[in-house]
Amino acid sequence: MRLAPAVLALLLGAPLLRGQEIPPRPEQLKYPPLKFEVPDAAAIRTTLSNGTPAYLIEDPALPIVDLRIIIRGGSFDEPAGKMGVADLTAELLRTGGTESRDPNAVDEEIDFLAANVAVAVEDVSGSATLSILSKDLDKGLEILMDLLRNPVFRQDKLDTLKAQTLDGLKSRNDRTSSIEAREANLIFYGPEYPLNRLATKASIESITREDLKAFHASWVHPSRFIVAAAGSFRKSELVSKLEAAFAKWPAKPAVAGPVTAPNVAHAAKPGIYCFNKEGKNITQGRVTIGHQGIDVHHPDVQAIRVMSYILGAGGFSSRLMQRVRTQEGLAYDVRSDLRPGLVYPFPFKLVFQSKNESCAYAAKLCLEEVDRIRAEGVSPEELKAAQQFYLDAFPGLFFSTKMQVAGTYAQAELLGLPKDYYVTYREKIAKLTPADIKRVAQEHLHPSKFAWVVVGNIPAIQAGDNVHPVKLADLGTVVSIPLADPFSLERMK
Amino acid sequence: MRALILGLLLAMPCLGQDRESGFKLPVQEFVLDNGLRVLLVERHDVPRVFCSLWWRVGSVNERPGVTGLSHFFEHMMFMGTDVIGTTDAVKDAELNAKIEKVMGKIREVKLARLEAKRRGLETPAGEDELYKILMKEYEGYVEEQKKTIVPEHLSKIFQANGGTGLNATTSYDRTNYFVELPANKVELFCWLESDRFLKPVFRSFYPERDVVKEERRMRTDSTPTGLIHEAYWSMFWQAHPYKWPVLGWMSDIDQYTLADAQRYYDTHYSAQNGTAIFVGDVQPAEIQELCRRYFGRLKRFPGERDAIVTQEPDQPAERRMEAEAESKDELSVQWHGPSAVHKDSAACDLMMSVFSGRSGRLFRPLVEDKKLALDVQSYFWSLRYGGVLNLGVAPREGADVRALEKALLEIVDDVRKNGITERELDKVRNQQMADLVRGLKTNNGIAQQLGYFETVGTYKDFFAYAKALETVTAADVKRCAEQYLKPTGRNVLVVRRKEKK
């Protein structure tokens, strides 16, 4: 064992860097300037010989490689009546075997190499990921590429997966949180939006290996890939390995431009939609209140981000947290969420959970805070604190590890973010004024359009108590909706 | 502060035979005069520092009647001091005293209610009236105090300086407080953390009890199996203070007093029970100076706290719990295992890994061959004073759960009788070692590893554990299976879906 040079310096009595004083207040602390250069996306990006973009960063700190292949396309592309095929395909790409590899042998090999291999799919994109010790990178890549290129979706593995999937469907109404998430999507996006085309028992049962093969054929191809990787490798070597692997696919020109999704045409009808969950242990209600919001390409995206931070997205510092939780003790979790949608708009939401009796009162306080930020805007001090958060936290939000840098830029390409999005991110925040915040609050928060999702013991939530001087019915039109059957998603009687 | 004690540069053992796989985690350590330990790891890639303070106190240090107090105390530590959280410390203290006085009276009413309940009687009407009057007085003070409270002041300062992930967590053995900051603002962490642990003010005490009750409803009460798993955990620990939930029993949350919190602080938040851990873009000389100046202020309280002496007795017979819930079916079998720094800890980790994963002992026989299950899991969760060896199975719809349990236990018996193969050992060793490496990818991950070991032993036990992983033999695993996975030591939970009538 030997001592690090820095430690030796300490042992010899390093000079103190600053004064011995402790200032009476933390605001009096002085900090040296912080320097952070936004990593150069162009320098990181490589175009592989087949046209696939790749963001590869050498990071020799640990003997490990993380590789993520983003695949354009996702569950929004499922054919009619085959809801669930995207998930089944992704999962069986990993576990269903290949033309030359028995699926059990694949499991054994991946586990023996201590690798993590996964294929997953979301709404408009998916991913194949590999995490492996750098000494085994070649082997890991070979397996991953075989899984993606030559899957056979073995019938017995599909049968097991379908049984697991149906078991999952059965649990759809077990948790109030699952009901809330599903019903909120229905209310904010409407039943026709692809986000709400969910798997049913009938759709899962109808899916065959042929459906999986067809989905795979239309989904997985290097022309639809964007690669991000970081770890202990030589960039030139990894480029060659990926090029060799991708060359095994028939050549196709790379798909360029951002992924897209249909427009959201639906507007929720205002009202308080209640979903009753029976059970004497359901002592807490879950409430989401909102309306349609924006996507990341909106010109006011930074102003809206900061406004939302001050109102309720800024964690403990936010107005909602201070009022509803810290001062009133009405909720553990309370927040607003006006995240810009990445591809299609995400709704603006107020979200909290409170004991049945105080749900209505907590909701009223949230609504008051919406009115207040619309009417009064924010103080210069509040704005400065929010701006300073984004300016100072910026490196940690997007670039905290080499893999996060690669992932941030790969995602930016997938979404078609402007080239200078991260370069100008901080200046756009820094130049905001209180007037900007008030303007976007008025333009983007519309109390008259609010639709509510309330899940829990609805009679108790409606009854309230004598302590909290408001009833649910005082706040809007209450509409009771039966829960959906977990298998068919038809409303139950 | 004592002279700089240990500067350690430790190398993780190489993975397998490949020299290139070795890596270093240089941890530097020093101890302040008051006993507070400081660890730091330099990583200069990004100008951020994960700053954390770990206290060797958790629900294991509680007693019935104040269960959950460790966690509640953690919430209290966000309420501030004379400087943070108020615009008028004098007035605030006056109101806090008034609140405490009226709450004392309210507590008497509550105890009278408990007494009436014990006798199966209604609360006397007069008591209810008195309660209302007292509550009105209390609420008046709370409203008054709001005028000088700066809510979430600590959080606001951290966040307005680029702090991310600000939070704290409480577990059985430890409580940790953490935030990631820009590299030029580590002094802010030292200022705020030493301030709040030096002279905390427990303001908003009673409203915060309601917040914690909401937290309990969210995490436990209003989930399909929260109360069942809580009861299973309490059945598993017969005697040990691990038996109550970290969040505390609902009835206890309602009864905490300021005096409870003060006593708790005076007993446990003594400097030698803490470790500050900094991981990221730090300069060791600067950290040393800051810690000495700021954390050197913390007190080392006279007197030692009570040792945890209760030993979980050897279980004389299998214990079972059969429950119904609006939830997936579930089968869990659980045994007591060794503590985190026990010499068998690495072997138990490897043993439980043998059961896990798609290529493990359980998946193919139970899920694919017998078609009794849909998924399997296994883990060894090691705590400071004991451990949990768990096998969990999701029964397939319509499957005979008894047959599933039997098949599961036959697999366990096979490992106890015949041990594991060298190939299996190599596989799970590779997995455990790789997972250790993966845990070190982020500043946060490194701090979590070091902090965990600081609260179950010392960070050096991390390196000892890694070394032990390399030397465990198949015979060790077989011996651990025989010793720990005994039939009489089984705890079994079966959850069946409650069918609607």
Side-chain angles (χ1 to χ4, degrees):
Chain A
M1 189 187 311
R2 64 187 175 83
L3 294 178
V7 179
L8 278 177
L10 289 179
L11 282 169
L12 299 171
L16 295 183
L17 299 182
R18 283 195 225 119
Q20 289 286 337
E21 297 299 304
I22 294 180
R25 298 194 61 87
E27 296 84 358
Q28 295 160 333
L29 293 171
K30 298 272 183 285
Y31 308 107
L34 186 79
K35 209 171 141 48
F36 177 74
E37 298 277 338
V38 178
D40 183 355
I44 296 166
R45 189 182 188 280
T46 305
T47 306
L48 303 179
S49 54
N50 69 316
T52 300
Y55 295 84
L56 312 177
I57 307 178
E58 295 178 4
D59 183 7
L62 294 171
I64 207 154
V65 174
D66 283 298
L67 175 96
R68 178 180 170 83
I69 299 174
I70 297 175
I71 309 170
R72 292 167 182 272
S75 60
F76 279 20
D77 303 319
E78 288 172 339
K82 297 290 180 185
M83 289 85 76
V85 72
D87 271 328
L88 295 181
T89 305
E91 177 64 26
L92 270 198
L93 278 171
R94 160 65 188 81
T95 60
T98 73
E99 287 162 14
S100 60
R101 281 185 165 85
D102 174 76
N104 298 342
V106 173
D107 292 341
E108 175 64 25
E109 199 167 8
I110 287 174
D111 284 353
F112 194 82
L113 294 171
N116 292 337
V117 177
V119 185
V121 63
E122 293 170 43
D123 45 11
V124 294
S125 68
S127 65
T129 51
L130 167 69
S131 168
I132 193 160
L133 294 174
S134 35
K135 69 183 173 68
D136 299 322
L137 177 60
D138 289 355
K139 192 80 202 157
L141 273 177
E142 183 199 319
I143 297 170
L144 179 65
M145 293 305 164
D146 189 34
L147 295 178
L148 293 176
R149 177 78 185 93
N150 309 304
V152 293
F153 305 112
R154 239 172 58 176
Q155 186 65 45
D156 57 335
K157 300 287 176 181
L158 176 59
D159 292 342
T160 300
L161 183 59
K162 282 165 83 165
Q164 290 168 334
T165 304
L166 290 173
D167 192 58
L169 298 189
K170 194 173 182 183
S171 288
R172 269 175 167 160
N173 290 339
D174 291 354
R175 290 181 173 269
T176 50
S177 54
S178 330
I179 300 170
E180 182 189 33
R182 191 177 67 239
E183 299 295 352
N185 275 347
L186 268 173
I187 289 196
F188 296 130
Y189 290 97
E192 300 310 318
Y193 201 71
L195 197 62
N196 290 319
R197 291 191 304 150
L198 301 177
T200 61
K201 190 172 186 215
S203 78
I204 295 296
E205 283 175 346
S206 80
I207 291 169
T208 63
R209 288 176 68 211
E210 299 312 310
D211 295 318
L212 270 56
K213 285 179 188 166
F215 192 83
H216 168 258
S218 67
W219 184 45
V220 180
H221 189 276
S223 62
R224 305 164 70 84
F225 292 171
I226 303 173
V227 181
S232 193
F233 55 75
R234 286 199 184 83
K235 186 170 172 176
S236 57
E237 288 177 15
L238 184 55
V239 166
S240 312
K241 288 169 190 173
L242 290 169
E243 286 178 343
F246 292 166
K248 292 180 182 164
W249 264 275
K252 266 195 213 175
V255 180
V259 280
T260 56
N263 287 329
V264 180
H266 175 85
K269 189 168 172 234
I272 302 176
Y273 300 97
C274 293
F275 301 86
N276 189 40
K277 170 76 179 169
E278 287 173 14
K280 68 176 189 309
N281 66 316
I282 309 294
T283 51
Q284 189 179 58
R286 301 187 68 97
V287 180
T288 295
I289 304 173
H291 56 58
Q292 204 42 262
I294 59 154
D295 71 40
V296 72
H297 299 286
H298 194 286
D300 279 328
V301 65
Q302 295 300 63
I304 293 164
R305 199 188 297 281
V306 170
M307 184 270 290
S308 183
Y309 175 94
I310 295 170
L311 174 62
F316 291 109
S317 291
S318 75
R319 287 181 173 189
L320 289 178
M321 193 67 116
Q322 291 172 52
R323 179 101 188 266
V324 179
R325 170 172 159 151
T326 314
Q327 292 192 324
E328 302 293 336
L330 292 167
Y332 173 75
D333 169 35
V334 54
R335 61 200 138 85
S336 71
D337 187 354
L338 185 44
R339 266 178 305 166
L342 297 177
V343 180
Y344 48 91
F346 285 172
F348 165 68
K349 291 191 280 195
L350 303 162
V351 178
F352 67 87
Q353 303 90 48
S354 187
K355 61 184 175 297
N356 295 331
E357 309 87 85
S358 53
C359 276
Y361 184 61
K364 181 165 173 278
L365 297 190
C366 291
L367 296 175
E368 283 175 12
E369 290 301 325
V370 172
D371 289 342
R372 185 160 78 90
I373 202 166
R374 280 171 48 87
E376 299 169 12
V378 299
S379 71
E381 295 75 35
E382 273 181 302
L383 173 59
K384 184 154 184 297
Q387 287 170 313
Q388 204 57 45
F389 168 78
Y390 283 106
L391 301 184
D392 262 8
F394 179 72
L397 296 177
F398 304 108
F399 306 108
S400 64
T401 62
K402 297 257 180 8
M403 188 59 196
Q404 197 189 11
V405 173
T408 291
Y409 286 139
Q411 160 125 332
E413 175 153 356
L414 178 78
L415 303 180
L417 295 181
K419 289 257 184 289
D420 64 352
Y421 182 81
Y422 291 105
V423 177
T424 60
Y425 189 97
R426 287 175 292 179
E427 11 181 302
K428 284 180 178 160
I429 297 243
K431 71 178 192 197
L432 295 170
T433 65
D436 293 325
I437 304 302
K438 188 171 174 181
R439 175 180 60 80
V440 294
Q442 291 175 348
E443 285 178 9
H444 292 276
L445 306 181
H446 306 292
S448 65
K449 293 185 182 170
F450 277 146
W452 302 38
V453 176
V454 183
V455 185
N457 182 338
I458 298 299
I461 291 171
Q462 281 187 299
D465 62 17
N466 299 324
V467 183
H468 302 101
V470 65
K471 302 278 186 234
L472 207 55
D474 302 336
L475 299 169
T477 311
V478 176
V479 183
S480 280
I481 302 183
L483 293 183
D485 177 90
F487 285 126
S488 70
L489 293 176
E490 301 288 332
R491 293 290 161 192
M492 296 190 287
K493 291 283 177 269
Chain B
M1 164 172 165
R2 279 189 280 161
L4 226 267
I5 325 234
L6 285 166
L8 296 177
L9 183 64
L10 293 175
M12 279 289 292
C14 292
L15 291 157
Q17 301 307 309
D18 189 334
R19 296 294 306 171
E20 280 178 28
S21 304
F23 69 98
K24 291 185 173 68
L25 179 67
V27 180
Q28 297 176 47
E29 173 199 25
F30 54 94
V31 183
L32 304 183
D33 279 352
N34 57 15
L36 188 96
R37 300 160 55 73
V38 182
L39 303 182
L40 63 97
V41 177
E42 290 181 65
R43 297 176 92 227
H44 296 291
D45 280 357
V46 183
R48 302 281 293 172
V49 183
F50 189 84
C51 306
S52 54
L53 201 48
W54 299 70
W55 294 93
R56 286 173 278 281
V57 58
S59 64
V60 74
N61 301 102
E62 296 161 0
R63 60 169 174 79
V66 293
T67 63
L69 186 60
S70 307
H71 170 253
F72 183 74
F73 189 90
E74 174 226 295
H75 279 235
M76 274 297 108
M77 293 310 293
F78 285 80
M79 295 304 172
T81 61
D82 281 349
V83 182
I84 304 298
T86 181
T87 56
D88 187 341
V90 176
K91 196 157 176 232
D92 183 75
E94 283 170 16
L95 282 164
N96 246 9
K98 286 180 181 168
I99 288 171
E100 208 39 38
K101 204 167 163 198
V102 68
M103 281 314 281
K105 294 180 193 165
I106 289 172
R107 200 147 44 241
E108 281 173 31
V109 177
K110 282 188 174 172
L111 289 175
R113 284 181 176 179
L114 281 181
E115 178 60 11
K117 193 176 172 193
R118 187 171 77 89
R119 292 175 180 275
L121 303 173
E122 295 288 316
T123 311
E127 295 278 339
D128 268 350
E129 269 316 297
L130 176 61
Y131 181 77
K132 276 184 200 153
I133 292 165
L134 292 171
M135 279 305 285
K136 206 167 159 73
E137 184 185 344
Y138 158 74
E139 278 159 15
Y141 297 142
V142 169
E143 279 306 307
E144 183 69 19
Q145 196 178 28
K146 273 185 198 165
K147 291 177 193 161
T148 52
I149 281 181
V150 186
E152 298 297 346
H153 195 184
L154 180 97
S155 314
K156 284 178 191 164
I157 298 173
F158 268 133
Q159 289 182 236
N161 283 283
T164 54
L166 170 70
N167 217 328
T169 72
T170 307
S171 184
Y172 298 94
D173 300 314
R174 58 114 185 105
T175 312
N176 64 350
Y177 301 80
F178 49 87
V179 64
E180 185 159 292
L181 284 168
N184 62 337
K185 291 183 170 173
V186 175
E187 187 172 2
L188 178 67
F189 176 80
C190 297
W191 197 104
L192 288 169
E193 296 299 293
S194 62
D195 179 59
R196 67 167 156 169
F197 288 102
L198 181 64
K199 43 186 181 181
V201 173
F202 308 130
R203 61 173 68 88
S204 299
F205 190 90
Y206 298 100
E208 195 66 14
R209 295 198 312 200
D210 292 331
V211 172
V212 170
K213 284 194 267 181
E214 292 295 353
E215 183 175 2
R216 209 195 123 86
R217 288 184 192 106
M218 183 192 81
R219 294 192 195 281
T220 308
D221 299 27
S222 290
T223 63
T225 56
L227 292 169
I228 292 167
H229 283 119
E230 189 176 80
Y232 181 46
W233 178 258
S234 290
M235 178 184 85
F236 180 71
W237 300 98
Q238 182 185 353
H240 200 275
Y242 284 146
K243 71 186 283 112
W244 48 80
V246 171
L247 275 168
W249 302 117
M250 201 59 129
S251 57
D252 289 356
I253 298 173
D254 240 350
Q255 299 289 351
Y256 304 147
T257 68
L258 211 72
D260 290 331
Q262 188 63 48
R263 196 179 313 119
Y264 187 83
Y265 171 77
D266 292 341
T267 309
H268 299 295
Y269 277 83
S270 181
Q272 81 280 13
N273 293 333
T275 300
I277 303 180
F278 301 87
V279 183
D281 187 14
V282 289
Q283 301 301 329
E286 187 188 6
I287 296 292
Q288 185 209 353
E289 193 279 320
L290 288 172
C291 286
R292 188 191 58 74
R293 182 149 47 105
Y294 284 95
F295 290 113
R297 303 193 281 176
L298 299 185
K299 294 189 195 100
R300 180 176 191 134
F301 298 131
E304 291 299 312
R305 52 184 180 164
D306 292 340
I308 304 296
V309 295
T310 304
Q311 300 288 302
E312 186 66 16
D314 233 359
Q315 194 172 302
E318 179 186 283
R319 290 189 285 238
R320 303 185 70 85
M321 181 174 284
E322 310 236 343
E324 283 193 337
E326 262 193 78
S327 176
K328 288 183 180 192
D329 290 355
E330 183 182 332
L331 169 65
S332 153
V333 186
Q334 196 161 283
W335 295 262
H336 286 275
S339 75
V341 295
H342 192 282
K343 65 176 179 55
D344 288 343
S345 181
C348 283
D349 259 326
L350 296 175
M351 172 177 80
M352 295 316 277
S353 295
V354 167
F355 295 109
S356 76
R358 296 183 63 88
S359 75
R361 286 274 181 133
L362 302 182
F363 187 85
R364 222 166 293 145
L366 299 181
V367 176
E368 298 195 328
D369 298 345
K370 296 201 168 77
K371 298 198 187 316
L372 290 166
L374 289 168
D375 210 353
V376 300
Q377 64 157 24
S378 79
Y379 61 81
F380 170 44
W381 182 26
S382 51
L383 297 157
R384 186 178 174 94
Y385 300 100
V388 183
L389 300 159
N390 181 286
L391 298 177
V393 186
R396 189 183 271 255
E397 182 167 11
D400 179 346
V401 178
R402 301 277 169 231
L404 174 59
E405 185 180 335
K406 187 162 169 283
L408 174 71
L409 293 175
E410 278 169 9
I411 295 169
V412 173
D413 279 343
D414 182 52
V415 172
R416 299 184 76 227
K417 281 201 191 81
N418 305 315
I420 62 170
T421 65
E422 287 298 325
R423 162 114 187 153
E424 277 179 304
L425 181 66
D426 286 345
K427 178 170 71 176
V428 294
R429 198 187 335 254
N430 289 347
Q431 289 172 340
Q432 291 290 325
M433 295 298 287
D435 283 348
L436 275 193
V437 179
R438 290 192 181 99
L440 307 179
K441 287 200 287 199
T442 61
N443 294 343
N444 182 347
I446 292 171
Q448 296 297 333
Q449 278 292 11
L450 297 177
Y452 166 75
F453 278 97
E454 278 287 295
T455 54
V456 295
T458 81
Y459 78 95
K460 288 178 204 160
D461 288 303
F462 172 60
F463 298 99
Y465 170 80
K467 189 106 197 99
L469 277 181
E470 279 213 323
T471 54
V472 170
T473 64
D476 293 331
V477 172
K478 179 167 185 282
R479 198 249 316 145
C480 284
E482 287 166 358
Q483 183 177 334
Y484 294 105
L485 306 180
K486 287 183 300 201
T488 53
R490 289 199 291 254
N491 290 264
V492 182
L493 171 68
V494 179
V495 180
R496 308 303 303 269
R497 180 175 289 279
K498 187 189 246 168
E499 292 300 341
K500 287 244 174 72
K501 297 202 174 73

